[in-house]
Amino acid sequence: MDAHPSTATREAAFFDLDKTIIATSSATAFSRGFLAQGMLTRRKVLRTAYAQLVYLMGAADEDQTERLRVQLSRNVAGWEVSQVSAVVAETLHEAIDPTVYAEAVALIEQHHAAGRDVVIVSASSSEIVEPIAAVLGADHVIASRMAVTAGRYTGEIDFYAYGENKAIGIRELAEREGYDLSRSFAYSDSITDAPMLGVVGHGFAVNPDRTLRRLAEQEGWGVLAFSRPVALFAFARRPASIAAVGVVALVAAGLAVGWYLGRRRARG
């Protein structure tokens, strides 16, 4: 585990997005909205839906995940950034609800209550991740950055927040914000996020498959089960713009998780 310099005093909780906070793929959740705007063809939507199904079933290996990334980046080539942002804002409710895990929302609230920043870390593009993170009340986002020329996507990726790059992004943010990574937390469902889980002092595998569970046992990471998708917008603190909406605590779901976190800290 990589430790941040001892001068850092703040703590943070880093959450993977897909299949950790939401029970779907954020990169493909907005396909219907893009199709309605004529930005995607039905053939591309079906192809992407199949790739998403393989991913959600946990059957996608690293090569398949990479092909999905290439396919998605090609799909957006030539799209206007402003139009993408508009579609995401307009369809966020129907695309994401009710796919947010209640257990994840409770954890986010508990980390905030403990004074920790919450950071969403996702391989999806920032234009998709940032509105979701705002609804969740996250403090920062680490996401893929698509190359843009004259307000349009080129189809290339400037920064791909995947695998080791997630750990790199976390270290860079920790340097800027003064996080002590040895006292910070990370959550993910994917074996490809092993670098992300290993860069903090408290790593947690969420709904892990056999491979990730085995690694979690070897590394001493916690194992959590998230199983209750809820309608996130039903828990909004106040009616406001997407960037200002928060999430109230899910107390019942959080009690058991809070006890587990406390036990982990006591052991550490």
Side-chain angles (χ1 to χ4, degrees):
M1 191 275 299
D2 296 329
H4 197 61
S6 59
T7 54
T9 58
R10 303 174 63 201
E11 300 175 14
F14 301 90
F15 286 81
D16 173 47
L17 181 59
D18 297 356
K19 297 173 64 181
T20 300
I21 292 180
I22 60 176
T24 186
S25 165
S26 56
T28 56
F30 298 93
S31 295
R32 182 178 299 179
F34 295 139
L35 176 63
Q37 292 295 318
M39 300 165 70
L40 281 178
T41 63
R42 292 188 179 277
R43 181 178 180 181
K44 287 183 177 180
V45 169
L46 290 173
R47 187 182 304 162
T48 301
Y50 172 75
Q52 180 189 15
L53 178 62
V54 173
Y55 171 75
L56 292 176
M57 291 177 63
D61 57 21
E62 188 167 347
D63 289 339
Q64 288 172 314
T65 302
E66 174 63 14
R67 286 197 294 271
L68 176 59
R69 179 197 68 82
V70 171
Q71 180 180 319
L72 292 173
S73 62
R74 287 175 178 172
N75 282 349
V76 304
W79 289 7
E80 292 185 2
V81 178
S82 59
Q83 187 177 12
V84 171
S85 297
V87 171
V88 171
E90 292 169 2
T91 62
L92 182 59
H93 188 295
E94 64 183 75
I96 300 302
D97 271 357
T99 67
V100 181
Y101 284 120
E103 297 90 341
V105 176
L107 266 176
I108 288 172
E109 290 297 323
Q110 288 185 10
H111 281 300
H112 272 152
R116 300 184 189 97
D117 280 0
V118 170
V119 183
I120 306 301
V121 188
S122 175
S124 294
S125 70
S126 57
E127 288 80 13
I128 288 175
V129 180
E130 288 176 358
I132 298 173
V135 173
L136 292 165
D139 301 283
H140 298 283
V141 165
I142 297 172
S144 295
R145 297 189 298 272
M146 307 296 293
V148 176
T149 299
R152 294 179 180 272
Y153 296 114
T154 67
E156 302 298 323
I157 300 178
D158 286 337
F159 175 74
Y160 187 33
Y162 179 82
E164 181 61 35
N165 279 346
K166 285 191 175 183
I168 292 172
I170 288 173
R171 292 191 195 97
E172 292 176 348
L173 182 63
E175 183 69 32
R176 293 195 303 271
E177 297 294 327
Y179 299 142
D180 182 348
L181 291 182
S182 69
R183 295 162 52 194
S184 294
F185 297 73
Y187 304 85
S188 178
D189 73 290
S190 175
I191 189 64
T192 63
D193 285 343
M196 169 180 166
L197 297 179
V199 79
V200 300
H202 306 283
F204 289 84
V206 177
N207 297 343
D209 60 16
R210 184 178 303 175
T211 304
L212 181 57
R213 183 179 295 273
R214 185 181 304 117
L215 182 61
E217 292 174 353
Q218 294 173 358
E219 298 294 334
W221 298 335
V223 175
L224 299 176
F226 292 176
S227 60
R228 297 200 301 118
V230 296
L232 177 62
F233 285 78
F235 298 97
R237 282 197 188 99
R238 57 190 179 279
S241 64
I242 289 175
V245 175
V247 181
V248 298
L250 297 178
V251 179
L255 287 176
V257 176
W259 170 81
Y260 187 76
L261 282 174
R263 188 179 66 172
R264 287 279 297 180
R265 286 195 292 272
R267 287 179 176 177

